[in-house]
Amino acid sequence: MRLELTAEDQAFREEMRTFFTTEVPQELRDAVIEGRELGRAEFVQSQQILNAAGLAVPHWPEEWGGRGWSELRRHIWLEELQRAGVPAPLAFNANMIGPVLAQFASQEMKERFLPTTANLDIWWSQGFSEPDAGSDLASLRTTAVRDGDGWVVNGQKTWTTLGQYGDWIFTLVRTDPQAKKQAGISMLLIDMTSPGLEVRPIELIDGGHEVNEVWFTDVRVPGENLVGELNQGWTMAKFLLGNERVGVAPVGTVKRVLARAKELAGPQLEDPLVRARVAELENELLALELTAIRVAAHSAGAEPHPASSVLKLKGTELQQAVSELVLDLAGPASLASGAPDGPDGSDLPAWARRSAPTYLNLRKASIYGGSNEIQRQIIARTILGL
């Protein structure tokens, strides 16, 4: 089994590392490395720098901005991007609706939306989850009723991440209530400035505003905004969720945060228990990295490899474990969560004051993108044959 990179792939890694550390502003990367919350402007700035260099959507078809790279090179691209602290291309655009449009949409819809989606001129929101329809997505109840040439949408979506910045929302709606629940679903693209559409914030346990509810009250949607064929939404949802899990093991990010934790630990590293904990995390991270490279090297075609579930499961567990290590290193200083910087604020280190919100925020990692319980079911069924 060959796990070492070829000379060409190693040169590619150096090319990516040089670009990310020289072309993306240091201030922007520092914000990511220090765990500061980014706003819309920072995400747009970063993605447009990447897109101008052809590095925002390398996995798309080449006619729409893809690079035709192997799975291994895409893995290297993502790992170096994360290691450098570059904000990843917005997942809703790059990994979700973009590939769906490229695969299922009409030529007119592709030309209308794909270039602006790659460049983040349009910020997409995801309208999938509903109350009582999260992991059981097919139970969704938001309806779209035909009215002349268009649709009238009523219902509620929830956990809409960064929906406060959204321009458009790709939405699963029930278009045939009489059909089997997976068969009566379609996908609509909805302008978020449409009358009757309302975004309501949800406050999270870390005190941040990251997710929202989106309500639809008699929202009128042009018929041309239907993606693909009527009642084909479940097929597109499965395609989208499979792509969402590709590259979900945040190897580069965890590696960067763990290295920073060792720097921040200072004298605490003299404690043998702390050293043992760090060593165990480093070993598990190395195993994950080698698994990710092996999976990438053996992937073929457009379908996500079943082992992406292993990467999602272990990657999120390690991400949470490293955030817990940083929280423990901060100790009592972590209680100063939310204290402002500056002479009138706290004089405790900023990383320590952010450790608790970061730890709490990352509890979501084992839930989104298909919960880890769902990933265990996929592993049991498709890999272990149970």
Side-chain angles (χ1 to χ4, degrees), residues 268 324-335 351-353 355-356:
Q268 293 187 73
E324 187 172 356
L325 171 66
V326 175
L327 181 74
D328 289 344
L329 291 174
S334 66
L335 297 176
W351 70 268
R353 286 181 279 127
S355 62

Side-chain angles (χ1 to χ4, degrees), residues 91-303:
F92 315 109
N93 287 43
N95 297 343
M96 298 184 186
I97 191 60
V100 166
L101 294 178
Q103 179 77 12
F104 296 98
S106 65
Q107 184 67 19
E108 180 182 7
M109 185 175 275
K110 291 176 184 176
E111 293 175 358
R112 179 183 177 189
F113 286 112
L114 283 177
T116 49
T117 296
N119 203 46
L120 200 43
D121 296 324
I122 294 176
W123 184 296
W124 288 96
S125 298
Q126 183 184 28
F128 277 22
S129 295
E130 298 183 7
D132 303 321
S135 295
D136 183 18
L137 185 58
S139 295
L140 63 88
R141 290 176 293 191
T142 295
T143 60
V145 177
R146 196 77 184 180
D147 184 35
D149 294 334
W151 302 90
V152 177
V153 177
N154 281 281
Q156 176 195 359
K157 299 294 178 180
T158 193
W159 308 125
T160 307
T161 304
L162 301 178
Q164 66 269 36
Y165 301 136
D167 300 307
W168 284 72
I169 182 168
F170 52 93
T171 313
L172 291 179
V173 292
R174 188 160 299 285
T175 43
D176 185 352
Q178 305 304 319
K180 177 185 172 184
K181 62 182 184 180
Q182 286 89 348
I185 295 172
S186 300
M187 182 180 288
L188 287 179
L189 309 182
I190 303 178
D191 186 334
M192 294 185 73
T193 63
S194 302
L197 189 154
E198 182 183 3
V199 178
R200 302 177 186 174
I202 300 173
E203 185 174 347
L204 294 180
I205 191 172
D206 65 358
H209 171 199
E210 187 176 64
V211 293
N212 305 267
E213 296 175 323
V214 181
W215 291 77
F216 304 89
T217 306
D218 293 331
V219 175
R220 303 193 68 84
V221 181
E224 67 205 43
N225 289 9
L226 175 72
V227 183
E229 299 177 4
L230 183 64
N231 298 325
Q232 197 185 16
W234 189 247
T235 299
M236 288 182 272
K238 288 192 295 181
F239 178 86
L240 182 151
L241 292 171
N243 277 297
E244 185 182 9
R245 289 176 200 131
V246 173
V248 77
V251 172
T253 299
V254 178
K255 193 182 290 186
R256 169 171 50 76
V257 175
L258 185 54
R260 180 168 165 78
K262 289 170 66 176
E263 295 174 1
L264 298 171
Q268 293 187 73
L269 272 183
E270 296 174 9
D271 183 335
L273 294 179
V274 173
R275 289 204 305 273
R277 190 173 170 186
V278 170
E280 183 177 1
L281 287 170
E282 287 182 329
N283 286 334
E284 291 196 26
L285 181 58
L286 177 60
L288 176 67
E289 182 177 17
L290 294 176
T291 303
I293 292 173
R294 187 176 61 182
V295 169
H298 290 83
S299 293
E303 292 293 324

Side-chain angles (χ1 to χ4, degrees), residues 205-206 277 319-328 334 354-365:
I205 191 172
D206 65 358
R277 190 173 170 186
Q319 196 173 22
Q320 292 175 337
V322 173
S323 74
E324 187 172 356
L325 171 66
V326 175
L327 181 74
D328 289 344
S334 66
R354 294 192 191 100
S355 62
T358 301
Y359 167 83
L360 292 171
N361 185 275
L362 282 175
R363 299 308 96 187
K364 69 187 180 187

